Amino acid sequence: EDVHAALLLAEAQTCAQLEHPSVAPVYDVATDEHGAPSYTMRVIAGRTLRDVLRERSAEGTKTMLAQLLAVMRQVCLAVEYAHSCGVVHRDLKPDNVIVGSYGEVYVLDWGIAHLLDGATVVRDRDVSLTVAGTPGYMAPEQVIGGRIDPRTDVFALGVMLYEVVAGGRPFEDADMASVLRRATRDLDVVAPSVVRPSAATDAFDGLILAAVSRDPEQRPASARALADAIDAFLDGERARAERARDADEKTREGEEARLAFEAHLATSARLRDEAERTLATLAVWESAEAKAPSWALASEASRHTRDAALALARAEAAFATALSRTPRHAGARRGLAALYFRQLEAAEARGDADRAAQCLGPDDRRGSVGSVDDDPQTVEPVRQGREQVVDVERGALGVVAHAA
């Protein structure tokens, strides 16, 4: 009971002196007639980060990685502030983080926090704990009696960040004995990107593996280093999302122009055929008045040909812009493939061997026919001289043609 009372009092006095938005404020500390301490603090409403992570792993979760990383960023900054005051938490884990409904994040359970020499936080009474922490999150020095400093918390933050991006912990410690075994031998930690390949795990692999290093000297020196890395990743994600939105918009513009190109091309071919059929029924000596309807059709066909060329230029420009923003944009690749292949078909339909050869490329008449996606595919020449583009799995195959 004395130990519990001392821990309660230590937590109250620590929190009362850590003035940070992510540390719950303590308003009053008192003792009853039996000397048992108590304190009054702000009511904290929300879910633990552990609950949020469990919900995220369940089917149908709507919690985005960016939101979880934002929570981790706030935790890292709160811990960095505590370190600046000479306080090492020693028991950081998702269970000790509360996530509110309106973006609030609180780091709880400061009872076993360690005070460094020169700490600005003062406590009336301290409890000397030989071993303190939670298996799975404890740094080796916590169990073998090593030096406790900010890098001890960095270790736990690294484990938590591993959970956020990879969905599980790097160490499945069951008890203190397993922590001791881990602390006294070199273990190969499986990289987060191996557990759950993604842009996030690729980005954080090096940082996380350094943070959970057995040797404190190999870890980042501060919790802010983790917060800065999260900031950099989220900034990059926002930029990528903006580029993706731009690419989506340009792809829509390109698809509209491609459909207009197809429509103008089809209309031009129909009108030209009709004009030729009509003229073919007239003798060469027929009057201009008799031939005028056919000439009007031919003129209208030419207008649609010009409009098709303009639509083609718009479509090519839009798809190219989309791919400059997001090089692997599937919609833009599919659109560009369809656009180029249609040009090849149109050249063949007109009997324009030179243009068809230009589309196919100079090398064995197939050099420019290829893929605009990364999926397995083949381009098979057909005996009649056409090129058949075969899509083996998914994505777009196309003709990468030279501009006319």
Side-chain angles (χ1 to χ4, degrees), residues 14-312:
T14 300
C15 291
Q17 296 171 77
L18 293 178
E19 298 182 6
H20 189 276
S22 291
V23 178
V26 171
Y27 302 123
D28 185 39
V29 179
T31 56
D32 62 18
E33 63 272 18
H34 303 294
S38 63
Y39 64 85
T40 304
M41 62 177 288
R42 175 182 295 169
V43 175
I44 303 299
R47 299 171 295 164
T48 68
L49 180 56
R50 172 75 62 211
D51 292 334
V52 176
L53 290 172
R54 286 197 187 107
E55 291 172 13
R56 180 171 181 255
S57 65
E59 186 177 357
T61 180
K62 294 185 179 179
T63 304
M64 297 176 62
L65 175 62
Q67 293 173 288
L68 294 173
L69 288 172
V71 170
M72 279 301 303
R73 174 186 178 276
Q74 289 181 255
V75 171
C76 290
L77 291 177
V79 172
E80 173 72 8
Y81 167 75
H83 292 168
S84 73
C85 298
V87 179
V88 178
H89 189 285
R90 287 203 296 182
D91 196 21
L92 294 170
K93 55 186 177 182
D95 310 77
N96 286 342
V97 174
I98 295 293
V99 181
S101 301
Y102 302 97
E104 321 95 294
V105 175
Y106 293 100
V107 181
L108 307 180
D109 288 355
W110 295 84
I112 64 171
H114 174 75
L115 299 187
L116 301 171
D117 292 341
T120 59
V121 170
V122 178
R123 296 193 295 222
D124 293 338
R125 180 183 174 188
D126 235 334
V127 180
S128 178
L129 298 174
T130 305
V131 177
T134 300
Y137 299 89
M138 294 174 66
E141 60 268 24
Q142 288 179 264
V143 72
I144 61 176
R147 180 171 178 263
I148 303 298
D149 66 18
R151 292 170 299 185
T152 302
D153 282 345
V154 166
F155 184 95
L157 291 171
V159 175
M160 293 169 66
L161 187 55
Y162 193 111
E163 284 188 274
V164 166
V165 300
R169 294 201 308 265
F171 313 110
E172 293 299 332
D173 300 328
D175 49 32
M176 289 299 177
S178 58
V179 178
L180 182 60
R181 286 193 296 272
R182 168 169 60 80
T184 53
R185 67 185 68 174
D186 287 323
L187 297 175
D188 290 329
V189 179
V190 179
S193 61
V194 174
V195 177
R196 180 179 286 175
S198 69
T201 51
D202 285 344
F204 290 113
D205 261 1
L207 178 70
I208 291 174
L209 293 177
V212 301
S213 172
R214 188 163 73 96
D215 180 6
E217 295 295 330
Q218 301 299 316
R219 299 174 204 157
S222 68
R224 181 173 285 278
L226 277 71
D228 289 346
I230 292 171
D231 271 338
F233 177 78
L234 291 177
D235 286 346
E237 284 296 287
R238 282 188 283 269
R240 279 190 286 274
E242 183 177 346
R243 290 197 299 271
R245 284 193 296 271
D246 289 347
D248 288 343
E249 179 61 29
K250 286 298 178 182
T251 298
R252 284 191 291 271
E253 291 179 15
E255 190 61 19
E256 289 175 5
R258 185 185 71 80
L259 293 175
F261 164 70
E262 297 269 4
H264 285 302
L265 206 61
T267 301
S268 174
R270 178 178 58 79
L271 292 174
R272 198 172 301 279
D273 288 345
E274 187 177 348
E276 290 174 357
R277 284 196 308 271
T278 306
L279 279 174
T281 65
L282 301 175
V284 293
W285 57 80
E286 292 284 352
S287 66
E289 185 178 359
K291 295 178 181 178
S294 298
W295 292 342
L297 289 172
S299 177
E300 184 69 5
S302 296
R303 185 182 69 78
H304 279 284
T305 299
R306 290 192 297 273
D307 289 343
L310 293 173
L312 173 62

